Structure formats: structure tokens, C-alpha cells
Amino acid sequence: MANDIIPVSLVLGSGGARGLAHIGVIRALREHGRFDIASITGSSIGALIGGLHAGDKLDLYSEWVRGLSMADVWGLLDFSFTSKGLFEGDRVMRKLGDLVGEARIEDLAIPFTAVASDIGWRREVWLDRGSLFEAIRASIAIPGFFTPVERNGRVLVDGGLLSPLPLAPAQRHVGERTIAVSLNGNSERIPRGPEDDNTDTGDSDGDDATARQRGNPFQQWYRAARDKLGLEAEPAPTYNAFDTMTRSLAAMQDRIARYQIAAYHPDILIEIPARACGVLDFHRADRMIELGYRQAMTALRRADDGANAAGF
């Protein structure tokens, strides 16, 4: 029995660029060989990575995102200067649309559910039919960052707002085990591998140095708005509004995710430390993918040891 393939319901949580670790988790599941991904449920970045895997486009996305520098990431953020959100998201969504194409969720080889938040009715929405692109677009619409999605009279935003670790919809799928990946781990020490000392995170690149001088997306937007209005510069605060927004959202998601874990008890929980990288650090893709792979392999080996000890 120990060598039988076990179908699993994979649940991928929200957490910005830390969600690139989901790619490493999926790679670990493939290599491990004992578990077969029978369904995927994802929220925010978890919906993006899960949907791309279900649509057999994850390798293409992984190749693209691993080539991004910090300057490239900033360049993808098109400031909206509207009341709907800090960014329109059109540049990112055009790239995503190119990858996803016209795929429909019901036609995917792996059953898939993206979770979004309906801010009018204050409830989570499970998107398991229709356009894969539209479902992902709704699930990643971070409030205040990207413009929301209007669908059937509802205003949909990031799924992580109400369901950062969407274990509830995963209960509908057939799977002997549930494997959940939380991006809100509390570890004070970031697990490191032997390759980390020699890993180039892109910080020394000329383009990235230029991007750091320009500041984070909020600082760029603020400076542009200030110059447009003819206002004088002010001393930089210790925590700017962008940092406060992301930290507040992360704290809320961490608390909700812990309630979800307590309520639904996944068979295997893989945790990525919340301090692993910033919400927009997509230029650290290699490091995050490797971290996800290591964390997953550790959890899977621990599960194997427990099964062997129990005689399964």
C-alpha cells in the first residue's frame, strides 16, 4: 500500500510574490511520485499558479517570471491614477492573457476552482466554470492595488481578502488527502539551501539598482502625483502607505488562514515563511521556487515517515 499513488486536493494560498513558492511545491509533488494532483483550489497568487498548472501553462510562466529583474517588475505596474486602484493591471493581464488564451475552466484536465471576494455581499465566490483568465483576474485583484472585476453585477476582488487558504471549496473534490500551502508561516528563520550563498537575487544588477533608486510602486506613484500637483517633497516616513497596506493585509490573512486550518485540518500543511520576500518581489522567483520545493519535500518526507510508522 505504501507505493500506491494517492490522489490529492491541492490548496494554494494567497501572499503575493511568496506564491512563486507554489511552483516549487508542484515540482516537488511531481518528483516525489506518490501523490497525484487530482484537483486544485487557489486564492489570489494561488489561483494564478494553480490555474496555470491546471491549464498546462505553468512551465511557460515559470520560464518568464524567472527572467524578471526588479526593473521589469516595476515596469509591469501601470499606475491607474483613478479611485478604483493604484494599478490598472493591464500590462500584467495582457501577459497572463497570452499565456492562458481562451481556456475554460470546465475543459481543464484538472478540476480547478479560483476563489474571489464579493465585496458587495461580503462573501467568497468560488469560480469553477467559464473563462480561466477572468477567474484568475478576479482572484488576484488586490484591493487598492488593482482595479476590481465586475461580473454579473458583482464587484470581485482578491480572494485572499476573505479566504487566504481556501480549504472549504476543496472539500467538494475527490481526493484521499488534502495538501495545503500557506504563505503565512511564522518561522523567524528563513530556511536556506546550500545554493543560497551563491544565488544571485538580482540586487547587484544595474537595472535593479536603478529601480531601487526609483523606490517602490507607491513611492513612484506618490512622487508623480506630487509633481503633477506642484507639491513640495516631504521627509520619507518610516512606514509609507504602501508598506502599511501590505503589512495590514498580511496580518489579516494570517489570522483568517489559521482559522481555516483549524476548521478543515489539511492532511499535509506546507508553510512558507511570511518574511520570505515582499509582496511584489517577483524578481526573486528562483529563490522562492527553490524555497517552496525544499519546504514541500520536507513536509512530504515527514508524511511518508508517519505513514510508514503507522504501517500504511
Side-chain angles (χ1 to χ4, degrees):
M1 292 294 291
N3 294 323
D4 289 348
I5 301 299
I6 300 173
V8 300
S9 296
L10 181 62
V11 179
L12 304 178
S14 64
R18 292 194 305 279
L20 294 173
H22 292 322
I23 300 174
V25 171
I26 291 172
R27 188 182 105 202
L29 287 169
R30 285 172 167 172
E31 292 185 10
H32 183 272
R34 190 181 180 200
F35 300 104
D36 175 61
I37 300 175
S39 69
I40 301 176
T41 302
S43 187
S44 195
I45 185 67
L48 172 61
I49 300 301
L52 289 171
H53 178 65
D56 198 26
K57 301 291 185 178
L58 187 56
D59 289 342
L60 290 174
Y61 173 80
S62 178
E63 180 180 357
W64 172 72
V65 77
R66 290 175 66 184
L68 294 178
S69 67
M70 186 188 296
D72 292 330
V73 175
W74 289 170
L76 286 167
L77 299 175
D78 43 357
F79 297 92
S80 69
F81 292 101
T82 70
S83 59
K84 289 186 176 181
L86 191 57
F87 313 116
E88 290 286 352
D90 288 344
R91 296 172 190 168
V92 174
M93 293 309 153
R94 278 197 297 270
K95 179 61 182 181
L96 178 59
D98 290 341
L99 286 172
V100 174
E102 300 297 324
R104 296 185 64 81
I105 296 175
E106 56 267 34
D107 297 331
L108 300 177
I110 300 174
F112 170 72
T113 302
V115 176
S117 300
D118 180 341
I119 58 175
W121 289 96
R122 301 180 182 180
R123 63 187 181 189
E124 60 186 85
V125 177
W126 302 350
L127 304 172
D128 57 5
R129 299 188 65 81
S131 167
L132 176 61
F133 171 79
E134 290 184 5
I136 294 174
R137 173 69 178 90
S139 188
I140 64 176
I142 304 173
F145 280 45
F146 295 116
T147 53
V149 173
E150 296 184 17
R151 177 173 175 173
N152 299 327
R154 298 179 296 187
V155 179
L156 303 181
V157 298
D158 193 293
L161 183 67
L162 297 178
S163 187
L165 194 61
L167 286 157
Q171 309 304 308
R172 303 174 304 159
H173 299 298
V174 177
E176 290 185 26
R177 306 278 179 85
T178 299
I179 297 179
V181 186
S182 170
L183 304 179
N184 291 292
N186 274 337
S187 174
E188 291 296 323
R189 178 178 177 274
I190 308 302
R192 296 172 63 85
E195 76 290 341
D196 280 343
D197 291 336
N198 299 315
T199 298
D200 181 5
T201 63
D203 291 344
S204 61
D205 292 346
D207 288 346
D208 286 351
T210 300
R212 284 200 308 279
Q213 292 174 0
R214 287 159 52 192
N216 67 35
F218 175 80
Q219 291 167 334
Q220 295 178 48
W221 175 86
Y222 174 76
R223 282 199 298 267
R226 183 193 65 205
D227 294 344
K228 190 173 183 180
L229 296 173
L231 301 176
E232 294 183 1
E234 298 177 358
T238 304
Y239 290 109
N240 59 44
F242 182 85
D243 294 328
T244 302
M245 186 186 305
T246 57
R247 288 169 183 261
S248 299
L249 186 61
M252 179 189 70
Q253 290 179 334
D254 173 56
R255 182 55 58 93
I256 297 174
R258 294 192 179 281
Y259 282 126
Q260 291 177 307
I261 292 168
Y264 293 100
H265 303 290
D267 297 290
I268 299 175
L269 176 64
I270 301 167
E271 291 192 287
I272 306 301
R275 295 175 56 251
C277 75
V279 68
L280 293 176
D281 285 349
F282 285 90
H283 62 291
R284 302 188 183 278
D286 279 333
R287 176 164 292 186
M288 292 310 303
I289 291 170
E290 188 61 29
L291 175 59
Y293 176 81
R294 291 199 306 267
Q295 294 290 88
M297 277 300 191
T298 298
L300 295 176
R301 291 189 187 110
R302 188 180 300 122
D304 283 344
D305 291 342
N308 291 333
F312 293 120

